Structure formats: C-alpha cells, structure tokens
Amino acid sequence: MDRPPRTYPLPQLDDDSRFTFGLVLDVADVLAAHGYPPLSGGGDDHVQLQQARFRFLYAPST
C-alpha cells in the first residue's frame, strides 16, 4: 500500500511568525507532561530543542 505524501519538512520561509521561543516552551512542557525531564535552566537544552524543531519543520535551503 502506498504511503500518503509527507507533510514535513516545509519550505523555509524568510520569516515565519509561528517559529517562536514560546513554541519551544510549549513543546518542552508537553515533553515534561509525558514524563520526560524538564529542560535545564541553562538554556542549552532550549537551543537544542529549537534547532531540532527547525530541522524537523523546514527543508534545507537550496
């Protein structure tokens, strides 16, 4: 059986107002609610989560 086409990654936009630090905090909260450790206060975890989110959401620029 054929798989449906993928939705992600999306084409990169010059400015995507949805890609905010608030979304990083929301994703971190969801992970913690599912039993994962909360992100550290040092900020490195937040940066890594934001980068992982970017790699998932957007196709590499050409």
Side-chain angles (χ1 to χ4, degrees):
M1 177 156 61
D2 291 333
R3 290 183 178 179
R6 290 185 59 181
T7 304
Y8 294 93
L10 302 170
Q12 283 189 30
L13 302 174
D14 288 337
D15 184 30
D16 189 344
S17 63
R18 301 168 295 179
F19 193 81
T20 64
F21 188 70
L23 183 54
V24 171
L25 297 176
D26 290 345
V27 171
D29 288 345
V30 169
L31 291 172
H34 284 269
Y36 290 93
L39 272 59
S40 72
D44 289 342
D45 285 345
H46 291 88
V47 170
Q48 290 298 315
L49 181 57
Q50 186 161 4
Q51 289 177 342
R53 194 172 45 107
F54 187 87
R55 286 189 303 270
F56 172 78
L57 291 172
Y58 302 109
S61 60
T62 56

